[in-house]
């Protein structure tokens, strides 16, 4: 399709004008853009909360917030980052890229797509309200439970807790609908000739992510519904006096929660599966096996949840099972790492920003993984559990494993999305700044954790001071680096070197790469007629 | 050398720097504390094993990636080998890698499971202590001797070396004996954890969990609550005094005498004067109630109601008795009838009705409490 | 692109319905939050949310039906709908599996522990004299909860209800056969019968709840037995209600003759849903009432 044709197209079927274009949208790219912007806003909101957390922990003693507000912030920080940043950003990329990658005109169910998105601002509003409401007298205690919402503490909390419960319902509906849509799109909307085994890895990753969400979100929804009933309607699910068990909630939460970490991880793995071949100029090493590994990860991920609850008093048989299951996850994930490294091996490497992120992710995520395996060892976890060692593990998993993967995706696709190249020099500065600051923030937390600092404490004894000072300073630097990130994005949107259809030399090695056949930025409707697959 | 050339190395230098500096600052606690019981010792060894494995894996991964980054650069004119997946390694790697990983996995799991069997070995104990977590204090009951100790945070300044680490009444344990802990809670989840001597298990209201230890060295060991229990979660330290067997027996004996005296007092028909009750009540209040209602009686707005000028504390006595005896379900206010004796309840209520300008002048006698129960 | 061409995938015009749905849901849950916290305006806000949602359902489904009637949907669009419905029902299934899982956990793990059996059996120390039974008619602590006087057996109403739902599945299939061979009468009567059976189920269930509450003391507050009983049967009943509403819609559409033997996705979707509700009931009947 020539550019002239494109322009002609746009005249007739261009986007509607004004606010209606966004609010009533049925266009996958517009909705994808809204997802991405929403995620960016949430990054700053959740990050600002992290900054308050780190500022409070800078020194022993109470300085900025009181204990309940602190744990309320922790709760909101986690939920905003997980449900507001990572999942929407990944969904935004899915929206943008999947139809283009598989040669579809749009998502399978465009109106549902818009519903999935617009539920997020509503849920986000409710989430923030759940935090603020506690400051109004007469509404009871703040939500000081942490994102895991364990009863009975969550039974004690006030009205904010009810808002949080419904926030989770709204988020749940949003994710389930989005997943249904994405799965259906992938299975039904591929252009003729785009067989499953030709799909870019990102699409596969999202297929598994979507399936995971369809399975786990209802479980979380059921769990918090029971919480609501225990709080207000006299049921006894989580109260031993009526025959219930607080631990039951933990099983429900982690049946959701553990697969959820792979929901956060997989889209990034998908992005890496595109970036690493591109900048190695060599097809992905072991495409088919990688698909299999994701499948194994999907299955194994669903049956190891209780490694978050080794301390609740499960039987020897149960903990042994969960330990072995969890440790075995190192096999599929290790093989993925192996695939990525051997894609680079004997390649022809260049180090643009997306590739720098990809390499850093391989290293830092492996590190998160090996500390994860340490945590999986039951007797040792009886020491590590609920300390900063765990906090360090999961930030290494979440920030490189999920967030940096998405940053890499942003840099990789910005030229396609905006039609402009980002400023490579600034991109590299951002990479180094953010990666180094990240490590300064979270590496010391392994030590404070081992030394015995529990998580979710607003105040600590002076023996932990040094590590916390370093960690807080790192966190501030890490936070500031994001202003540069924002600047780069805005600058790229507003102008810059024109991007060609295929700005990356190696973008099409080993994949049909339909998205690179379209112009940058692509026309409003991607493929009005199904493209030919090479 | 172009800039990107140099830079990828930077990240590793940072990480290594941290690792090295870790060794240099060995004075700061960097690792699990030195264990003083056989079981925590085994766990320590297990931890060191997995740490080493983790370290070697990281060295391998970093090594391979860094090598690849330096060797296969386009800027050095390296052409991509499009047929790599067909070479020896490309074909056999699929078997080699999982087998190696599985091998490592199984050796970790293997050595873990022998320790695990020890963890779950609940054979007979010499001393059994029931540890009850409540918002925000620990109650220790020596099951064989009927001795009970309530342990509260000792308030210190943030500059103090023992800030948030010291308590009024530590748990006293004998060295060399097998001690069994039964963990439970009265309100929300807590977790009793003293890393040197015993790993953590959650305290779950309504259920009993178990851990055990045998302390090998006399000394003072500190820990803290490790499961988020709300407002005071950071303020639930644990102190264990490990003493010789004789000292322990002496201590238990002393406690028993004191308890006998107290319970005799409580069950006597004596009618107490207001001042006596207020004085005792203040003590009860500072051990049991300050954590929430605060020493000033002003509570914490929106969380814990003020008793100073409070509706109940200045209203009808019956309501006051009721809430202290039975608590209020679904809130942090616990039922105190099982934890305090009649005299203590009477005293604390009398105190509350006469302190902080609540000058009701009323006196509640143990007999009133008995009647209200 | 947006013209009705058989070969092109239909991409709907911009639509207000998604944001109306969000508005409705937000209002509804906001109202519920206020209501459970005893704030006066709660029920009204809930009702407002409900009204918005009702308006939404009419509007959105109305649009879809229109588009369908004007032939904008090709085969592929139908496929998307079908798959979407399939995954939706899958997620619903996991919602119910959650509660069945809880039933299993409470019954075979938690309650026995409290009663002194199993891994955490020492917990019984805290609950002097409590013995584990299922259905749970004696509670660890009956000051906070009132135990039920008797358990809900499978005989009587539950058995009748099982029959009702099973036959409703049959009548619905019969209606489907009617549709496939263009027998309008069989289709409509089959649907009527299905709705009637569904409604009778619903009425009997309400009656049974009344009986349980007033005579058996089996309430939400009678410990975990009551809790899980009402949670499972309640959510099932809720799904029956939705099912009946959807059946009514497709009945009206059948009367208008909007389905053809080859193209009737809406009918199929409702039928799947109804059969799903049926299967859930069977599981309920065996696991909650019988065993
Ligand atoms: C993206 C998110 C993410 C990812 C991918 C992971 C991955 C893993 N996690 Fe993590 N985890 C979290 C996010 C994540 N986690 C979060 C958020 C929490 C805390 C939640 C909370 O309590 O609030 C948590 C907590 C957590 C715990 C509970 C700790 C506790 O509370 O006591 C455990 C315990 O087993 C654990 C284990 C693992 C394991 C084994 C993996 C594995 O998948 C890792 C596999 C990867 C590798 C192993 C590296 C690559 C492999 C090789 C290089 C091959 C060679 C390796 C070996 C032979 C070991 N995680
Ligand atoms: C994807 C998920 C995600 C992400 C990205 C992050 C990012 C960060 N997290 Fe978070 N975190 C969690 C998920 C995540 N976290 C979870 C699940 C928990 C557990 C909660 C629980 O216990 O319940 C947790 C808990 C948690 C704790 C433990 C609290 C406790 O247990 O008491 C801490 C403490 O250091 C922390 C810090 C940080 C920091 C510094 C960042 C940084 O990466 C943030 C960087 C980003 C920014 C800073 C934003 C952008 C910049 C600005 C706003 C500009 C202004 C900047 C300045 C003023 C300097 N997090
Ligand atoms: Cu008790 Cu935390
Ligand atoms: Cu996990």
């Amino acid at each position: 399709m020539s550019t002239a044709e494109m322009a002609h197209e746009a005249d007739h079927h261009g986007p509607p004008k004004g606010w209606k274009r966004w609010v009533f949208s049925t266009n996958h790219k517009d909705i994808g853009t809204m997802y991405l912007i929403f995620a960016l806003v949430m990054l700053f909101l959740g990050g600002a909360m992290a900054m308050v957390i780190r500022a409070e922990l800078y020194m022993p003693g109470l300085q900025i917030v009181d204990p309940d507000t602190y744990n309320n912030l922790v709760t909101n920080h986690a939920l905003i980052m997980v449900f507001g940043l990572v999942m929407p950003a990944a969904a935004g990329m899915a929206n943008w890229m999947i139809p283009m990658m598989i040669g579809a005109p749009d998502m399978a169910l465009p109106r549902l797509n818009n519903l999935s998105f617009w539920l997020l601002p509503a849920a986000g509003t409710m989430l923030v309200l759940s935090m603020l409401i506690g400051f109004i007298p007469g509404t009871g205690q703040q939500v000081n439970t942490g994102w895991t919402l364990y009863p009975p503490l969550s039974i004690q909390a006030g009205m904010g807790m009810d808002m949080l419960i419904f926030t989770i319902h709204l988020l749940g509906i949003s994710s389930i609908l989005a997943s249904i849509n994405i799965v259906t799109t992938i299975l039904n909307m591929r252009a003729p000739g785009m067989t499953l085994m030709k799909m870019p890895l990102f699409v596969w990753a999202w297929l598994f992510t979507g399936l995971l969400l369809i399975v786990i979100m209802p479980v979380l929804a059921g769990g918090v519904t029971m919480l609501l009933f225990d709080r207000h309607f006299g049921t006894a699910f989580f109260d031993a006096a009526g025959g219930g068990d607080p631990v039951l909630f933990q099983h429900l939460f982690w049946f959701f929660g553990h697969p959820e970490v792979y929901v956060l991880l997989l889209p990034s793995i998908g992005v890496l599966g595109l970036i690493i071949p591109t900048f190695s100029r060599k097809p992905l090493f072991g495409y088919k096996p990688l698909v299999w590994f994701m499948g194994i990860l999907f299955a194994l991920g669903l049956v190891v949840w209780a490694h978050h609850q080794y301390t609740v008093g499960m039987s020897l048989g149960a903990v042994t099972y969960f330990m072995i299951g969890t440790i075995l996850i190192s096999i599929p994930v290790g093989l993925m790492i192996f695939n990525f490294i051997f894609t680079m091996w004997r390649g022809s490497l260049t180090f643009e920003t997306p590739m720098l992120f990809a390499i850093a992710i391989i290293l830092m995520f492996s590190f998160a993984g090996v500390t994860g395996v340490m945590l999986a060892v039951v007797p040792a976890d009886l020491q590590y559990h609920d300390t900063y060692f765990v906090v360090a593990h999961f930030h290494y998993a979440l920030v490189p494993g999920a967030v940096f993967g998405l940053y890499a995706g942003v840099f990789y696709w910005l030229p396609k999305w905006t039609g402009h190249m980002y400023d490579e020099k600034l991109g590299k500065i951002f990479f180094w700044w953010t990666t180094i600051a990240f490590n300064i923030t979270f590496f010391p937390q392994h030590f404070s954790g081992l030394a015995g600092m529990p998580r979710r404490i607003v105040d600590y004894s002076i023996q932990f001071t040094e590590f916390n000072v370093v960690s807080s300073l790192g966190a501030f630097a890490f936070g500031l680096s994001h202003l540069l990130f924002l600047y780069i994005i805005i600058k790229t949107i507003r102008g810059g070197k024109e991007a060609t259809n295929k700005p990356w030399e190696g973008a099409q090695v080993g994949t049909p790469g339909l998205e690179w056949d379209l112009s940058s930025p692509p026309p409003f409707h991607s493929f009005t007629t199904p493209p030919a697959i090479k | 050398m172009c800039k990107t050339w140099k830079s990828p190395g930077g990240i590793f230098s940072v990480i290594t720097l941290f690792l090295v500096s870790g060794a240099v600052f060995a004075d700061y606690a960097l690792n699990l504390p030195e264990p003083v019981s056989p079981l925590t010792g085994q766990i320590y060894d297990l931890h060191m094993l997995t740490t080493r494995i983790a370290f070697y894996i990281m060295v391998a991964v970093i090594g391979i990636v860094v090598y690849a980054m330096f060797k296969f650069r386009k800027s050095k004119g390296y052409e991509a080998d499009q047929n790599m997946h067909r070479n020896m390694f490309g074909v056999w790697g699929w078997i080699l890698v999982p087998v190696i990983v599985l091998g490592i996995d199984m050796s970790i799991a293997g050595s873990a499971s022998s320790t695990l069997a020890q963890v779950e070995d609940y054979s007979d104990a010499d001393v059994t202590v029931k540890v009850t977590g409540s918002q925000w204090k620990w109650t220790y009951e020596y099951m064989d001797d009927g001795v009970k100790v309530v342990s509260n945070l000792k308030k210190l300044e943030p500059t103090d070396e023992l800030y948030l680490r010291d308590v009024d009444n530590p748990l006293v344990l004998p060295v060399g004996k097998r001690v069994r802990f039964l963990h439970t809670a009265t309100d929300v989840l807590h977790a009793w954890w003293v890393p040197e001597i015993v790993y953590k298990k959650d305290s779950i209201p309504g259920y009993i969990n178990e851990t055990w230890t045998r302390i090998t060295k006399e000394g003072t060991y500190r820990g803290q609550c490790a499961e988020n229990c709300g407002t005071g979660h950071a303020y639930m330290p644990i102190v264990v005094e490990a003493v010789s067997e004789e000292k322990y027996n002496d201590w238990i004996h002393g406690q028993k005498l004191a308890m006998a005296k107290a319970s005799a007092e409580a069950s006597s028909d004596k009618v107490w004067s207001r001042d006596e009750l207020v004085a005792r009540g203040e003590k009860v209040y500072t051990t049991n109630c300050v954590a929430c209602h605060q020493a000033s009686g002003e509570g914490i707005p929106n969380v814990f109601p003020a008793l100073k000028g409070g509706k109940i504390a200045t209203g009808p006595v019956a309501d006051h008795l009721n809430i202290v005896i039975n608590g209020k379900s679904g809130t942090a206010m616990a039922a105190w009838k099982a934890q305090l004796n009649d005299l203590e309840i009477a005293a604390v209520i009398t105190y509350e009705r006469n302190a902080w300008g609540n000058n009701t002048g009323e006196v509640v006698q143990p007999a009133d409490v008995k009647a209200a129960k | 692109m947006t013209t009705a061409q058989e070969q092109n995938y239909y991409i709907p015009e911009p639509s207000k319905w998604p944001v109306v749905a969000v508005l409705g849901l937000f209002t509804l849950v906001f109202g519920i939050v206020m209501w459970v916290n005893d704030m006066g305006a709660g029920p009204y806000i809930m009702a407002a949310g409900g009204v918005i949602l009702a308006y939404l359902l009419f509007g959105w489904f109305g649009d879809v039906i229109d588009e369908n009637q004007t032939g904008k949907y090709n085969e592929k669009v139908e496929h998307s709908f079908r798959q979407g419905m399939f995954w939706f029902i899958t997620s619903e299934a996991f919602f119910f599996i959650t509660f069945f899982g809880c039933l299993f956990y409470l019954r075979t793990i938690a309650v026995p522990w409290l009663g002194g059996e199993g891994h955490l059996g020492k917990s019984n120390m805290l609950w002097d004299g409590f013995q584990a039974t299922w259905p749970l008619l004696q509670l660890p602590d009956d000051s906070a909860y009132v135990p039920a006087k008797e358990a809900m057996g499978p005989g009587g109403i539950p058995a009748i209800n099982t029959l009702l739902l099973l036959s409703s599945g049959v009548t619905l299939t019969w209606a489907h056969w009617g549709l496939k061979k263009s027998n309008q009468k069989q289709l409509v009567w089959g649907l009527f019968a299905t709705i009637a059976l569904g409604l009778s189920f619903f009425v009997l269930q309400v009656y049974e709840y009344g009986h349980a509450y007033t005579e058996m003391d089996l309430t939400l507050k009678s410990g975990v037995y009551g809790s899980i009983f009402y949670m499972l049967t309640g959510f099932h009943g809720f799904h029956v209600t939705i099912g009946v509403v959807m059946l009514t819609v497709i009945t009206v559409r059948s009367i208008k003759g909007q389905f053809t033997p080859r193209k009737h996705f809406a009918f199929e979707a409702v039928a799947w849903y109804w059969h799903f509700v049926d299967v859930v009931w069977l599981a309920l009947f065996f696991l909650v009432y019988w065993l």
Side-chain angles (χ1 to χ4, degrees), chain C residues 177-197:
Chain C
W177 288 345
L179 175 53
K180 278 203 204 140
K181 52 185 189 206
S182 302
N183 184 340
Q184 168 84 358
K185 225 168 161 186
Q186 181 176 340
L187 166 64
V188 174
W189 280 109
L191 282 173
F192 270 132
T194 312
I195 295 177
L197 290 167

mmCIF file of all heavy atoms in Angstrom, chain C residues 177-197:
data_model
loop_
_atom_site.group_PDB
_atom_site.id
_atom_site.type_symbol
_atom_site.label_atom_id
_atom_site.label_comp_id
_atom_site.label_asym_id
_atom_site.label_seq_id
_atom_site.Cartn_x
_atom_site.Cartn_y
_atom_site.Cartn_z
ATOM 1 N N TRP C 177 -34.217 -27.724 18.281
ATOM 2 C CA TRP C 177 -34.541 -28.578 17.129
ATOM 3 C C TRP C 177 -35.593 -27.913 16.272
ATOM 4 O O TRP C 177 -35.519 -27.905 15.049
ATOM 5 C CB TRP C 177 -35.068 -29.947 17.607
ATOM 6 C CG TRP C 177 -33.990 -30.801 18.187
ATOM 7 C CD1 TRP C 177 -32.645 -30.629 18.077
ATOM 8 C CD2 TRP C 177 -34.181 -31.969 18.994
ATOM 9 N NE1 TRP C 177 -31.977 -31.611 18.764
ATOM 10 C CE2 TRP C 177 -32.890 -32.448 19.330
ATOM 11 C CE3 TRP C 177 -35.297 -32.662 19.459
ATOM 12 C CZ2 TRP C 177 -32.713 -33.578 20.116
ATOM 13 C CZ3 TRP C 177 -35.111 -33.789 20.232
ATOM 14 C CH2 TRP C 177 -33.832 -34.241 20.563
ATOM 15 N N GLY C 178 -36.579 -27.344 16.985
ATOM 16 C CA GLY C 178 -37.633 -26.636 16.259
ATOM 17 C C GLY C 178 -37.043 -25.557 15.379
ATOM 18 O O GLY C 178 -37.378 -25.436 14.191
ATOM 19 N N LEU C 179 -36.140 -24.777 15.971
ATOM 20 C CA LEU C 179 -35.523 -23.693 15.222
ATOM 21 C C LEU C 179 -34.786 -24.225 14.007
ATOM 22 O O LEU C 179 -34.870 -23.688 12.905
ATOM 23 C CB LEU C 179 -34.561 -22.945 16.149
ATOM 24 C CG LEU C 179 -33.705 -21.842 15.555
ATOM 25 C CD1 LEU C 179 -34.558 -20.834 14.813
ATOM 26 C CD2 LEU C 179 -32.926 -21.148 16.655
ATOM 27 N N LYS C 180 -34.072 -25.331 14.209
ATOM 28 C CA LYS C 180 -33.254 -25.848 13.121
ATOM 29 C C LYS C 180 -34.090 -26.346 11.960
ATOM 30 O O LYS C 180 -33.641 -26.329 10.817
ATOM 31 C CB LYS C 180 -32.361 -26.985 13.626
ATOM 32 C CG LYS C 180 -31.118 -26.459 14.310
ATOM 33 C CD LYS C 180 -30.037 -27.533 14.285
ATOM 34 C CE LYS C 180 -29.041 -27.330 15.416
ATOM 35 N NZ LYS C 180 -28.647 -28.591 16.023
ATOM 36 N N LYS C 181 -35.323 -26.837 12.277
ATOM 37 C CA LYS C 181 -36.121 -27.271 11.127
ATOM 38 C C LYS C 181 -37.227 -26.265 10.831
ATOM 39 O O LYS C 181 -38.280 -26.625 10.287
ATOM 40 C CB LYS C 181 -36.665 -28.691 11.354
ATOM 41 C CG LYS C 181 -37.393 -28.871 12.652
ATOM 42 C CD LYS C 181 -37.799 -30.322 12.867
ATOM 43 C CE LYS C 181 -38.725 -30.356 14.077
ATOM 44 N NZ LYS C 181 -38.791 -31.553 14.828
ATOM 45 N N SER C 182 -36.978 -25.002 11.232
ATOM 46 C CA SER C 182 -37.895 -23.904 10.930
ATOM 47 C C SER C 182 -39.296 -24.140 11.459
ATOM 48 O O SER C 182 -40.269 -23.718 10.842
ATOM 49 C CB SER C 182 -37.991 -23.643 9.422
ATOM 50 O OG SER C 182 -36.748 -23.347 8.910
ATOM 51 N N ASN C 183 -39.410 -24.826 12.542
ATOM 52 C CA ASN C 183 -40.730 -25.037 13.127
ATOM 53 C C ASN C 183 -40.944 -23.968 14.194
ATOM 54 O O ASN C 183 -40.610 -24.134 15.361
ATOM 55 C CB ASN C 183 -40.798 -26.446 13.721
ATOM 56 C CG ASN C 183 -42.186 -26.748 14.245
ATOM 57 O OD1 ASN C 183 -42.969 -25.835 14.509
ATOM 58 N ND2 ASN C 183 -42.477 -28.030 14.392
ATOM 59 N N GLN C 184 -41.517 -22.852 13.786
ATOM 60 C CA GLN C 184 -41.698 -21.702 14.649
ATOM 61 C C GLN C 184 -42.459 -22.054 15.916
ATOM 62 O O GLN C 184 -42.129 -21.633 17.008
ATOM 63 C CB GLN C 184 -42.436 -20.622 13.843
ATOM 64 C CG GLN C 184 -42.962 -19.470 14.649
ATOM 65 C CD GLN C 184 -41.862 -18.431 14.866
ATOM 66 O OE1 GLN C 184 -40.731 -18.625 14.434
ATOM 67 N NE2 GLN C 184 -42.200 -17.350 15.528
ATOM 68 N N LYS C 185 -43.480 -22.891 15.749
ATOM 69 C CA LYS C 185 -44.336 -23.226 16.878
ATOM 70 C C LYS C 185 -43.549 -23.995 17.945
ATOM 71 O O LYS C 185 -43.581 -23.671 19.127
ATOM 72 C CB LYS C 185 -45.482 -24.098 16.382
ATOM 73 C CG LYS C 185 -46.824 -23.670 16.939
ATOM 74 C CD LYS C 185 -47.892 -24.387 16.174
ATOM 75 C CE LYS C 185 -49.204 -24.401 16.903
ATOM 76 N NZ LYS C 185 -50.161 -25.246 16.169
ATOM 77 N N GLN C 186 -42.826 -24.992 17.471
ATOM 78 C CA GLN C 186 -42.048 -25.798 18.406
ATOM 79 C C GLN C 186 -41.021 -24.921 19.121
ATOM 80 O O GLN C 186 -40.825 -25.019 20.331
ATOM 81 C CB GLN C 186 -41.345 -26.916 17.639
ATOM 82 C CG GLN C 186 -40.532 -27.829 18.539
ATOM 83 C CD GLN C 186 -39.928 -28.977 17.737
ATOM 84 O OE1 GLN C 186 -40.380 -29.313 16.639
ATOM 85 N NE2 GLN C 186 -38.908 -29.594 18.286
ATOM 86 N N LEU C 187 -40.430 -24.022 18.375
ATOM 87 C CA LEU C 187 -39.434 -23.122 18.942
ATOM 88 C C LEU C 187 -40.041 -22.297 20.068
ATOM 89 O O LEU C 187 -39.556 -22.277 21.195
ATOM 90 C CB LEU C 187 -38.890 -22.224 17.828
ATOM 91 C CG LEU C 187 -38.081 -21.007 18.262
ATOM 92 C CD1 LEU C 187 -36.819 -21.428 18.978
ATOM 93 C CD2 LEU C 187 -37.726 -20.137 17.060
ATOM 94 N N VAL C 188 -41.122 -21.624 19.781
ATOM 95 C CA VAL C 188 -41.700 -20.709 20.763
ATOM 96 C C VAL C 188 -42.246 -21.477 21.966
ATOM 97 O O VAL C 188 -42.007 -21.098 23.111
ATOM 98 C CB VAL C 188 -42.797 -19.848 20.104
ATOM 99 C CG1 VAL C 188 -43.506 -19.002 21.142
ATOM 100 C CG2 VAL C 188 -42.173 -18.953 19.042
ATOM 101 N N TRP C 189 -42.921 -22.568 21.695
ATOM 102 C CA TRP C 189 -43.468 -23.322 22.824
ATOM 103 C C TRP C 189 -42.372 -23.926 23.671
ATOM 104 O O TRP C 189 -42.439 -23.943 24.902
ATOM 105 C CB TRP C 189 -44.447 -24.397 22.347
ATOM 106 C CG TRP C 189 -45.783 -23.766 22.058
ATOM 107 C CD1 TRP C 189 -46.359 -23.571 20.840
ATOM 108 C CD2 TRP C 189 -46.683 -23.201 23.025
ATOM 109 N NE1 TRP C 189 -47.545 -22.914 20.961
ATOM 110 C CE2 TRP C 189 -47.789 -22.666 22.293
ATOM 111 C CE3 TRP C 189 -46.650 -23.068 24.409
ATOM 112 C CZ2 TRP C 189 -48.860 -22.031 22.918
ATOM 113 C CZ3 TRP C 189 -47.736 -22.441 25.023
ATOM 114 C CH2 TRP C 189 -48.817 -21.929 24.288
ATOM 115 N N GLY C 190 -41.349 -24.375 23.019
ATOM 116 C CA GLY C 190 -40.212 -24.908 23.768
ATOM 117 C C GLY C 190 -39.629 -23.848 24.680
ATOM 118 O O GLY C 190 -39.320 -24.093 25.853
ATOM 119 N N LEU C 191 -39.508 -22.649 24.154
ATOM 120 C CA LEU C 191 -38.947 -21.571 24.968
ATOM 121 C C LEU C 191 -39.876 -21.217 26.121
ATOM 122 O O LEU C 191 -39.439 -21.030 27.256
ATOM 123 C CB LEU C 191 -38.697 -20.339 24.091
ATOM 124 C CG LEU C 191 -37.436 -20.442 23.232
ATOM 125 C CD1 LEU C 191 -37.344 -19.265 22.281
ATOM 126 C CD2 LEU C 191 -36.195 -20.500 24.115
ATOM 127 N N PHE C 192 -41.168 -21.145 25.815
ATOM 128 C CA PHE C 192 -42.124 -20.854 26.880
ATOM 129 C C PHE C 192 -42.002 -21.877 28.009
ATOM 130 O O PHE C 192 -41.959 -21.534 29.188
ATOM 131 C CB PHE C 192 -43.558 -20.852 26.346
ATOM 132 C CG PHE C 192 -43.989 -19.494 25.863
ATOM 133 C CD1 PHE C 192 -44.605 -19.331 24.639
ATOM 134 C CD2 PHE C 192 -43.767 -18.370 26.672
ATOM 135 C CE1 PHE C 192 -44.995 -18.077 24.207
ATOM 136 C CE2 PHE C 192 -44.151 -17.114 26.248
ATOM 137 C CZ PHE C 192 -44.773 -16.968 25.000
ATOM 138 N N ALA C 193 -41.947 -23.134 27.600
ATOM 139 C CA ALA C 193 -41.843 -24.187 28.615
ATOM 140 C C ALA C 193 -40.571 -24.010 29.430
ATOM 141 O O ALA C 193 -40.578 -24.117 30.665
ATOM 142 C CB ALA C 193 -41.846 -25.555 27.926
ATOM 143 N N THR C 194 -39.486 -23.678 28.753
ATOM 144 C CA THR C 194 -38.220 -23.504 29.467
ATOM 145 C C THR C 194 -38.341 -22.377 30.488
ATOM 146 O O THR C 194 -37.914 -22.505 31.636
ATOM 147 C CB THR C 194 -37.105 -23.187 28.464
ATOM 148 O OG1 THR C 194 -37.181 -24.123 27.388
ATOM 149 C CG2 THR C 194 -35.750 -23.269 29.116
ATOM 150 N N ILE C 195 -38.916 -21.261 30.048
ATOM 151 C CA ILE C 195 -39.059 -20.135 30.962
ATOM 152 C C ILE C 195 -39.942 -20.529 32.140
ATOM 153 O O ILE C 195 -39.638 -20.229 33.300
ATOM 154 C CB ILE C 195 -39.664 -18.920 30.230
ATOM 155 C CG1 ILE C 195 -38.679 -18.440 29.172
ATOM 156 C CG2 ILE C 195 -39.990 -17.804 31.200
ATOM 157 C CD1 ILE C 195 -39.190 -17.300 28.325
ATOM 158 N N ALA C 196 -41.036 -21.211 31.841
ATOM 159 C CA ALA C 196 -41.943 -21.603 32.918
ATOM 160 C C ALA C 196 -41.211 -22.480 33.927
ATOM 161 O O ALA C 196 -41.330 -22.281 35.141
ATOM 162 C CB ALA C 196 -43.144 -22.349 32.336
ATOM 163 N N LEU C 197 -40.446 -23.430 33.424
ATOM 164 C CA LEU C 197 -39.711 -24.314 34.337
ATOM 165 C C LEU C 197 -38.693 -23.522 35.148
ATOM 166 O O LEU C 197 -38.543 -23.717 36.357
ATOM 167 C CB LEU C 197 -39.022 -25.424 33.546
ATOM 168 C CG LEU C 197 -39.971 -26.458 32.940
ATOM 169 C CD1 LEU C 197 -39.249 -27.323 31.914
ATOM 170 C CD2 LEU C 197 -40.564 -27.326 34.037
#
